[in-house]
């Protein structure tokens, strides 16, 4: 570990975290880490071990790379994490195309700089979330960088429609996708007793805001994290679930300047205005924030899709049978999915939560992962598992 400045902060945090693979996936691609006044959650994506490696590399890079003292240094640490993920992916063909979401919270110098009251910096890229529970209730700090979130912002979808949309896991931004991603950041004045939740989508896709607020406010932080995760798993556990709960245990009674609404995110790139990259370049690098029209958002999302392996395959319903498809679930967008295999397991035989997940479609990174999951369904039912001719990927 690199030695950090010993400066005494006016804010002290206490944190607790929990993570669970869930009830459907066989690998936990989420990761959570804390250290040196910084707390991080990441949700990886990519076939083989890609997602797992991406999230772990990214959280470690942020914890290591955050040396303070301000919000900009937290954004810089996230950039280091992006580079670390890209470099790791380039070093190993099996990790090619991996990526990860990431959100983090750190204690930083407040607007007055060193010597003044401290603040909390929050950063986000992707669709993991940061919430704050304060005396006024639960508020979401971060904005999702996902296709459905863009459609909500443009008025095409309601928040309720987005919450159950089959394409809600399609990201428009992530780490490991391009050299210079746009990273959102905030600086918030804390108050003693404020609680923050950093979590992966596996949590908020199972629990609504009302339930999150109830659980977040009850008991010590490490117990709260465990309860949030346990309840999300009990509610379905369709994805990996991670919760990191942070409480401001030392700090001002009321926030500096009073409690004000969460400000708009400050989106930052390192190289100034957004530019288009020439056609034919690495498509990962062609995701540009040419946001401004839904068409552009969709185009950008398709580019991301073509590389985020978690969208490459899915398990779904083929006329009552569990089937594996290549492509994307049918819906508002693009490519027709292609039937790959299936036909020997009826959807109606599955337990309630698995059936619901299959009907909604389960995106997976690789064919091998799809086969493992279907095999798991069969094992669960006590069926003999057919010998598999080829479990190699793709
Ligand atoms: Mg997830």
């Amino acid at each position: 570990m690199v030695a950090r400045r010993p400066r005494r902060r006016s804010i002290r945090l206490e944190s607790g975290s929990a993570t669970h693979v869930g009830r459907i996936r066989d690998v936990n691609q989420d990761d959570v880490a804390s250290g040196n006044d910084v707390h991080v959650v990441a949700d990886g994506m990519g076939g083989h071990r890609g997602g797992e490696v991406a999230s772990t590399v990214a959280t470690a890079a942020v914890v290591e790379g955050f040396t303070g003292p301000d919000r900009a240094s937290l954004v810089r640490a996230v950039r280091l994490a992006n580079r670390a993920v890209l470099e790791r992916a380039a070093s190993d063909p099996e990790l090619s195309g991996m990526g990860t979401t990431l959100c983090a919270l750190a204690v930083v110098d407040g607007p007055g700089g060193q010597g003044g009251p401290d603040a909390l910096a929050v950063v986000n890229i992707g669709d993991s979330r940061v919430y704050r529970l304060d005396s006024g209730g639960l508020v979401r700090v971060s904005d999702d960088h996902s296709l459905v979130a863009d459609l909500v912002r443009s008025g095409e979808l309601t928040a309720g429609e987005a919450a159950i949309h089959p394409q809600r896991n399609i990201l428009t931004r992530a780490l490991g996708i391009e050299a210079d991603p746009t990273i959102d950041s905030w600086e918030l004045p804390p108050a003693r007793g404020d609680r923050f939740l950093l979590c992966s989508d596996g949590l908020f896709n199972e629990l609504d805001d009302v339930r999150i607020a109830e659980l977040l406010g009850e008991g010590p932080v490490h117990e709260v994290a465990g309860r949030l995760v346990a309840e999300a798993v009990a509610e379905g556990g369709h994805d990996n679930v991670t919760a990191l709960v942070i409480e401001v245990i030392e700090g001002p009674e009321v926030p500096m300047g009073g409690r004000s609404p969460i400000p708009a995110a400050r989106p930052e790139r390192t190289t100034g205005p957004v530019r288009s990259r020439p056609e034919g370049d690495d498509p990962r690098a062609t995701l540009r924030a040419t946001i401004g029209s839904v068409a552009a958002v969709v185009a950008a999302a398709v580019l991301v899709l073509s590389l985020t392996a978690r969208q490459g395959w899915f398990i779904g319903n083929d006329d009552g049978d569990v089937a594996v498809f290549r492509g994307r679930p049918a819906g508002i967008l693009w490519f027709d999915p292609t039937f790959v295999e299936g036909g020997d397991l009826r959807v109606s035989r599955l337990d309630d939560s698995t059936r619901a997940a299959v009907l909604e479609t389960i995106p997976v990174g690789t064919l091998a992962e799809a086969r493992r999951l279907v095999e798991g369904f069969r094992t669960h039912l006590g069926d003999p598992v057919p010998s598999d001719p080829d479990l190699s990927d793709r």
Side-chain angles (χ1 to χ4, degrees):
M1 256 321 145
V2 176
R4 301 297 202 283
R5 298 158 307 115
R7 184 158 99 70
R8 168 99 181 131
R9 289 289 187 185
S10 63
I11 300 169
R12 225 154 53 83
L13 306 178
E14 188 173 79
S15 70
S17 66
T19 186
H20 194 284
V21 67
R23 293 162 68 181
I24 306 281
R25 310 291 171 124
D26 56 358
V27 175
N28 191 347
Q29 300 190 324
D30 288 358
D31 195 50
V32 54
S34 291
N36 300 303
D37 274 349
V38 61
H39 303 271
V40 197
V41 164
D43 176 353
M45 67 200 102
H48 283 291
R49 295 179 52 247
E52 213 183 344
V53 173
S55 59
T56 309
V57 165
T59 57
V62 171
V63 169
E64 185 62 30
F66 175 70
T67 53
D70 53 13
R71 157 160 69 173
S73 63
L74 184 59
V75 174
R76 260 196 312 278
V78 179
R79 296 202 178 288
L80 291 174
N82 184 58
R83 198 186 308 160
V85 173
L86 285 169
E87 282 171 4
R88 186 69 186 275
S91 75
D92 182 345
E94 291 215 335
L95 302 177
S96 165
M98 70 177 181
T100 186
T101 72
L102 185 139
C103 60
L105 179 148
V107 180
V108 296
D109 289 347
Q114 192 167 355
D118 293 326
L120 295 175
V122 169
V123 287
N124 180 54
I125 178 161
D127 68 351
S128 296
R129 285 186 184 169
V130 180
Y131 293 89
R132 183 178 73 195
L133 182 72
D134 58 42
S135 50
L138 186 76
V139 283
R140 175 127 70 91
V141 176
S142 59
D143 307 310
D144 296 345
H145 304 133
S146 67
L147 177 65
V148 294
D150 287 336
L151 293 173
V152 169
R153 283 189 281 270
S154 68
E156 308 275 313
L157 284 181
T158 66
E161 287 165 341
I164 54 166
H165 200 283
Q167 267 92 27
R168 64 180 180 272
N169 65 340
I170 296 174
L171 300 180
T172 52
R173 288 193 223 164
L175 296 182
I177 304 296
E178 58 176 333
D180 186 21
T182 302
I183 296 158
D184 286 353
S185 68
W186 297 260
E187 194 170 295
L188 305 170
R192 188 158 66 237
D194 284 358
R195 282 192 170 183
F196 289 84
L197 168 66
L198 278 60
C199 63
S200 62
D201 63 338
L203 188 113
F204 61 77
N205 282 335
E206 305 290 358
L207 305 181
D208 65 20
D209 284 5
V210 173
R211 190 60 187 146
I212 288 174
E214 283 169 2
L215 289 169
L216 192 51
E218 268 172 34
V221 287
H222 58 279
E223 285 178 21
V224 170
R227 269 188 232 126
L228 281 162
V229 168
E231 190 159 317
V233 172
E235 284 295 316
H238 294 94
D239 191 2
N240 309 143
V241 185
T242 300
L244 170 57
V245 178
I246 299 158
E247 179 172 330
V248 180
I249 56 169
E250 250 176 53
E253 202 68 57
V254 286
M256 276 280 295
R259 181 71 75 197
S260 45
I262 303 293
R266 196 157 92 182
E268 285 172 86
R269 301 178 72 85
T270 45
T271 52
V274 166
R275 291 180 308 273
S276 284
R277 216 163 272 232
E279 288 283 327
D281 205 343
D282 178 354
R284 264 178 302 179
T286 62
L287 170 63
R288 297 289 101 185
T290 47
I291 311 299
S293 73
V294 172
V297 170
V298 171
V302 171
L303 286 172
V304 174
L305 263 179
S306 65
L307 283 145
T308 52
R310 75 171 170 178
Q311 270 86 32
W313 303 82
F314 66 93
I315 298 167
N317 167 38
D318 179 52
D319 208 16
D321 290 319
V322 175
V324 179
F325 296 88
R326 176 100 216 220
R328 333 293 169 216
I332 53 172
L333 299 167
W334 58 86
F335 322 124
D336 281 332
T338 315
F339 173 88
V340 177
E341 62 188 29
D344 51 1
L345 176 60
R346 299 295 287 171
V347 175
S348 56
R349 296 188 57 217
L350 303 172
D351 65 61
D352 289 351
S353 96
T354 310
R355 183 167 61 244
V358 168
L359 291 176
E360 192 177 278
T361 72
I362 305 170
V364 291
T366 63
L367 178 56
E369 190 187 346
R371 286 174 171 168
R372 274 196 301 275
L373 285 176
V374 174
E375 192 179 309
F377 301 164
R378 281 205 192 87
T379 309
H380 190 67
L381 291 168
D383 290 359
V385 173
S387 64
D388 203 317
D390 175 21
L391 269 185
S392 65
D393 271 279
R394 286 154 215 246

